[in-house]
Amino acid sequence: FFSCIFAQVSMSAEAPRDRKMEIFDICAVNLIPCDNSSKIASTVGKLLHKSPSSDPYVIFAIGGERVQTKEIKNTLNPKWEEHLTLKVPHNAKDMIVSVFDRDRFTSDDQMGVYQFKIPQANQSGTVDAPLTTIRGQKHATGNIKFTYNLVGVPDDGSMA
């Protein structure tokens, strides 16, 4: 009797597997300037004048998993020469892409967000999407662009 139950259970559908998403060719265009047009140089105590800019970086997050690009200084049109890999849990539906401006002495400014719908099938694609506003900010500008490759995880569970 028990062997019949075991046979029925073992023949059932395979449990859903986690996948991984490779993210590369990451860039943003026409970001909003978050740094002041003039700053006080703390070492010499005088004003430094420079054009409005930001020090952007991007966080890609799926559930509790997240990866982050490096910061690129003084630009509104950054291009990250990075290849990131993110674990995609089998039940994940969205990836949140957040662009931030790095600040040295205050909390980082969130410049905008994009909600990416994770495809059900393994596939590759390119995203070029507008950033949306976030609470407390008057407007968001700019686009986020990246290429992704969504693939299954090998049987051993490695991300390689």
Side-chain angles (χ1 to χ4, degrees):
F1 174 76
F2 290 109
S3 62
C4 291
I5 293 174
F6 178 74
Q8 287 178 346
V9 171
S10 64
M11 292 174 59
S12 64
E14 189 175 314
R17 287 198 172 144
D18 292 344
R19 299 180 289 170
K20 70 176 179 176
M21 184 175 300
E22 299 167 337
I23 305 165
F24 49 98
D25 292 337
I26 308 161
C27 68
V29 294
N30 300 321
L31 295 175
I32 56 173
C34 289
D35 293 339
N36 296 329
S37 59
S38 63
K39 293 188 172 188
I40 298 176
S42 58
T43 55
V44 294
K46 63 182 179 179
L47 292 177
L48 292 177
H49 296 284
K50 66 179 191 175
S51 60
S53 68
S54 291
D55 304 318
Y57 65 94
V58 182
I59 295 176
F60 296 88
I62 301 174
E65 300 287 327
R66 66 182 249 164
V67 291
Q68 177 178 323
T69 65
K70 295 177 181 165
E71 161 195 353
I72 298 182
K73 293 184 180 291
N74 302 320
T75 184
L76 300 177
N77 297 292
K79 180 165 177 49
W80 291 271
E81 301 291 336
E82 298 182 48
H83 191 115
L84 306 174
T85 302
L86 185 61
K87 181 180 175 182
V88 181
H90 71 276
N91 59 349
K93 300 200 182 329
D94 299 311
M95 175 172 66
I96 304 301
V97 182
S98 303
V99 180
F100 287 87
D101 170 53
R102 172 86 62 212
D103 288 329
R104 298 290 167 242
F105 303 108
T106 60
S107 60
D108 293 352
D109 301 312
Q110 190 173 34
M111 302 171 77
V113 296
Y114 170 66
Q115 185 173 347
F116 174 73
K117 298 286 183 197
I118 298 172
Q120 290 184 349
N122 291 342
Q123 66 183 47
S124 298
T126 300
V127 173
D128 182 352
L131 294 169
T132 59
T133 59
I134 49 173
R135 192 175 35 162
Q137 183 174 313
K138 292 179 182 168
H139 64 282
T141 61
N143 278 35
I144 185 72
K145 300 178 181 184
F146 60 92
T147 301
Y148 68 91
N149 185 24
L150 183 61
V151 297
V153 175
D155 288 339
D156 64 5
S158 68
M159 295 294 285

